[in-house]
């Protein structure tokens, strides 16, 4: 009797946006970083990857992955590393329990969907690899903790390790050559500081800049300022940031976030040839955040930029009008203000009047350069779901 | 019998553009820098300040300065420091030679004119203070060497000390608390490497950025990466650059120039709040220079940016068509191509064809953002001139 069952497990996983940036690999193959980093996990209501992992003895094809309806190449070293590590863990369980089905020997069929446009230029690989690893671990009924899985997801995409947790998440760089201690950990759950909000300004860029993998390798190889960042500056900031989160001290959280974003982009500029991810629109967003904080007399908004021109602006719920409300008044009609969260943002016309007299040119640059906004908040880590993207016969559900 | 003679001396002094940047003061009052720096003196045929210093017992007014026809405030600490130091040196000579006229006791009347538009955003204070100090030193018949005068000019404007010399000029940061060893020196005369050219792209900026005095103070106070630049990176680059100039090695000269410009702007970005002097037009110029060097298979053009968006591009005369010629084809009609030097630049339409297919957007950004060009070359230090801006009666000549 042949087993024709299709084994399935589904999960959703979040996007995370770092406040202490990951930039630089000490081991490119294992994605081992040159410094620790720290991120905020964003709510899956707004941004998530939904993944179903399946396997079956009846699957005749090789391992496969369908992302947003398009077949993906899974032969790359990174995806293969994740498959290999997860299968090895399953094999161990199978060896201990000969009665369970030998799932590790079946081809994997994975279907994945993002609830946000890839074109937005948001780092989708973090959510993607976190969901992939979590879904396969669930499929294999692995007893692994999120930290153990983070070690595997890291090999798929460095920052993916941080998407295995919700809330405020650290990634300890570690020191072991095999990467065994380079894992993510929970700094604080989302419930500790639940009123953290994020406004993402999606900037329409003429063309994609240097890929982050290539960029960080070049920075490590050529930037004269990089060693100071990796060896001295970031270790100090990691401590400051963990303390700020523990104390729910937005002032420090915001200042360190902005400092670290600028410091990261400074090492990009110090790279040979220089790497520019921010453009004049990004800089306009910085000036407006500075204006908001100056008007408030304290730091109530904090910008951060990944390897692209999009601005992510953190703020607390109680300052929604002062921060997101000003951008809503400034940007006018843009995709994103229409959603539940967007509609709820009060338009801050009063503050806009002041901006128009002080920084009209900056506001114009921003309005012309931002294509859409995303409103979100701190959120939870990967979640199991019964909503399967693959049917009982093993076919992708469209 | 009263002496009614008007004593006069006239000089011209050059602009200099640093290839290892001065950024950061360890003593703001004395303009003592946190690192040494190195510059190329530009030809006075294209950019110079012309200054006549005069004094007379018949002058009844206070010390005065007329710049481009506008009276200037000379009560500032920096101008006063220059006047005071020069008078002290004259007083010493007068004490030793009681027969010479006591010029140090007479009011100074100074008239100064730039041959380039102030609106161009070129650092005119360097040429201005160098001319002022040199003209007064000549008026007082001081036996001081350029290095001795550079110590005085430094107190007027830091980078002015480098404009006391022609060619390739270093500014040794020194270590003395009184600044006595923080002086300029000749690395090599213009005749050593006379075929060095400079193309200046004047970028129309919406508004002036942070002043360099304020900016450098903020960088020193807040940038986490700044100490590495000042203490480790620049000392190493000073040696590399002096060696490259001695060997007339443009490849190294160019690479270190670009690295140091980027490193300086990186510490500006790492400042809190971040300082941005370069804009999207500046970045377009960088991309074109990278394209020129890639096409040549070696570094034949080197960009550098001071505290503003203007690009200064160094190249050797033999590469004029490949470098300036491409910019001439790209920028089209702009003020500056019409001058003697501009007319001589052959339009490089062949290279432009390639740019249009590879980097049309970048070329458009540059064309729209550059308001005028200045073509110049390495040049000589301050020169005495008989062309006086003040007549025998002590009146400014218009």
């Amino acid at each position: 009797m042949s087993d024709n069952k299709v084994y399935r497990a589904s999960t959703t996983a979040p996007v995370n946006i770092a406040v202490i940036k990951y930039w630089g690999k000490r081991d490119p193959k294992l994605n081992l970083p040159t410094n620790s980093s720290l991120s905020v996990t964003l709510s899956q209501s707004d941004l998530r990857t939904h993944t179903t992992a399946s396997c079956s003895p009846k699957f005749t094809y090789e391992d496969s992955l369908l992302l947003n309806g398009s077949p993906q190449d899974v032969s790359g070293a990174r995806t293969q590393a994740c498959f290999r590590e997860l299968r090895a863990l399953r094999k161990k369980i199978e060896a201990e329990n000969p009665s369970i089905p030998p799932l590790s020997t079946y081809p994997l069929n994975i279907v994945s969907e993002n609830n946000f446009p890839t074109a937005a230029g948001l780092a989708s690989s973090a959510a993607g690899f976190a969901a992939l690893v979590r879904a396969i671990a669930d499929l294999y009924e692995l007893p692994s903790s999120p930290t153990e899985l983070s070690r595997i997801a890291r090999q798929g995409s460095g920052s993916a390790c941080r998407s295995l947790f919700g809330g405020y998440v650290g990634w300890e760089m570690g020191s072991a050559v095999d990467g065994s201690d380079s894992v993510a950990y929970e700094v604080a759950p989302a419930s500790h500081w639940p009123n953290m909000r994020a406004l993402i300004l999606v900037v329409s860029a003429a063309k994609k800049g240097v890929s982050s993998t290539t960029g960080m390798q070049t920075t490590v190889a050529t930037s004269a300022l990089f060693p100071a960042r990796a060896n001295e500056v970031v270790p100090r900031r990691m401590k400051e940031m963990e303390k700020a989160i523990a104390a729910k001290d937005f002032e420090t959280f915001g200042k360190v976030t902005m400092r670290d974003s600028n410091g990261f982009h400074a090492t990009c500029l110090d790279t040979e040839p220089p790497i520019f991810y921010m453009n004049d629109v990004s800089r306009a967003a910085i000036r407006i955040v500075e204006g908001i904080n100056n008007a408030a007399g304290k730091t109530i908004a904090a910008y951060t930029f990944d390897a692209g021109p999009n601005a992510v602006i953190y703020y607390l719920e109680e300052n929604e009008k002062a921060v997101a409300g000003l951008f809503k008044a400034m940007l006018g009609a843009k995709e994103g203000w229409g959603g539940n969260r967007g509609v709820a943002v009060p338009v801050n016309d009063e503050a806009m009047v002041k901006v128009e007299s002080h920084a009209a040119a900056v506001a114009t640059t921003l309005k012309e350069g931002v294509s859409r906004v995303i409103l979100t908040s701190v959120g939870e880590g990967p979640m199991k779901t019964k909503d399967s993207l693959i049917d009982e016969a093993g076919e992708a559900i469209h």
Side-chain angles (χ1 to χ4, degrees), chain A:
Chain A
M1 188 199 89
S2 80
D3 175 6
N4 269 329
K5 189 175 169 185
V6 174
Y7 298 87
R8 299 175 296 164
S10 297
T11 194
T12 60
V15 164
N16 72 77
I17 298 287
V19 289
I20 306 284
K21 301 295 188 190
Y22 158 47
W23 195 255
K25 300 176 201 272
R26 67 179 198 273
D27 182 327
K29 204 176 145 225
L30 291 170
N31 278 342
L32 299 181
T34 48
N35 58 257
S36 297
S37 55
L38 201 151
S39 57
V40 178
T41 295
L42 300 182
S43 171
Q44 296 181 53
S45 313
D46 309 301
L47 300 164
R48 57 136 186 75
T49 298
H50 177 187
T51 296
T52 298
S54 71
C55 65
S56 172
K58 78 168 192 177
F59 290 173
T60 51
Y61 40 79
E62 305 269 297
D63 298 334
S64 66
L65 170 61
L66 197 72
L67 172 62
N68 294 333
S70 303
Q72 305 291 305
D73 178 16
V74 295
S75 69
R78 295 177 166 201
T79 309
Q80 285 297 313
C82 293
F83 287 176
R84 187 174 60 245
E85 294 255 11
L86 291 160
R87 278 197 168 105
L89 292 174
R90 171 70 189 184
K91 232 183 256 300
K92 215 172 132 196
I93 301 172
E94 290 167 1
E96 288 160 5
N97 304 280
S99 65
I100 64 168
L103 302 191
S104 68
T105 64
Y106 305 159
L108 283 161
N109 176 22
I110 299 159
V111 176
S112 211
E113 281 176 5
N114 295 330
N115 69 345
F116 54 93
T118 310
L122 292 161
S124 55
S125 65
F129 273 103
L132 178 126
V133 168
R134 184 76 257 182
I136 299 174
D138 290 348
L139 174 72
Y140 288 171
E141 295 182 327
L142 302 180
S144 312
S145 69
T147 291
E148 286 167 317
L149 294 181
S150 78
R151 187 184 55 76
I152 300 175
R154 186 203 73 229
Q155 296 172 62
S157 169
S159 58
C161 72
R162 295 187 311 240
S163 277
L164 265 305
F165 291 87
Y168 303 84
V169 187
W171 172 11
E172 165 58 40
M173 64 178 289
S175 58
V177 172
D178 67 356
S180 53
D181 57 354
S182 186
V183 293
Y185 59 98
E186 182 188 90
V187 171
S191 60
H192 166 73
W193 204 5
N195 48 331
M196 182 68 73
R197 297 284 173 273
L199 166 65
I200 305 176
L201 307 179
V202 180
V203 172
S204 26
K207 84 176 189 63
K208 180 133 174 67
V210 180
S211 85
S212 56
T213 297
T214 307
M216 63 175 82
Q217 304 275 68
T218 317
T219 300
V220 172
T222 65
S223 166
L225 299 175
F226 182 75
R229 167 173 172 78
N231 304 329
E232 295 160 40
V233 180
V234 169
R236 189 168 68 232
R237 283 190 188 141
M238 282 295 289
K239 285 182 197 145
E240 290 171 351
M241 188 56 95
E242 294 204 17
K243 215 172 134 193
I245 291 167
K248 292 182 260 189
D249 167 6
F250 189 89
E251 183 94 22
T252 304
F253 171 90
K255 280 185 177 158
V256 177
T257 294
M258 293 187 282
R259 255 176 227 156
D260 197 71
S261 175
N262 291 327
F264 146 52
H265 289 279
T267 64
C268 289
L269 171 49
D270 191 51
T271 298
E272 191 177 335
I275 303 170
F276 299 99
Y277 288 121
M278 293 195 283
N279 60 20
D280 285 351
V281 182
S282 314
R283 274 188 294 287
I286 288 178
R287 292 296 170 233
I288 297 300
V289 168
E290 286 173 354
I292 289 170
N293 290 333
N294 288 340
K298 60 181 179 175
T299 301
I300 62 168
Y303 55 78
T304 186
F305 296 82
D306 279 351
N310 293 346
V312 176
I313 298 160
Y314 287 114
Y315 61 93
L316 297 180
E317 187 180 12
E318 57 260 40
N319 295 314
E320 180 133 281
K321 187 175 180 185
V323 184
L326 175 61
F327 282 101
K328 195 174 182 179
M330 187 176 298
L331 296 172
K334 296 279 177 191
E335 200 182 333
W337 295 122
N340 281 342
R341 286 188 192 259
V343 166
V345 173
V347 178
N348 193 343
D349 282 326
E350 309 90 274
M352 188 56 204
V353 172
K354 289 183 202 160
V355 171
E356 276 166 342
S357 61
H358 285 79
V362 169
T364 303
T365 301
L366 203 66
K367 187 173 180 174
E368 288 173 358
V370 170
S371 58
R372 58 173 287 164
V373 301
I374 296 167
L375 286 139
T376 185
S377 64
V378 64
E380 304 299 332
M383 288 182 275
K384 277 192 193 183
T385 172
K386 296 203 164 165
D387 191 2
S388 181
L389 298 171
I390 296 174
D391 66 18
E392 285 176 11
E395 297 297 319
I397 298 166
H398 294 291

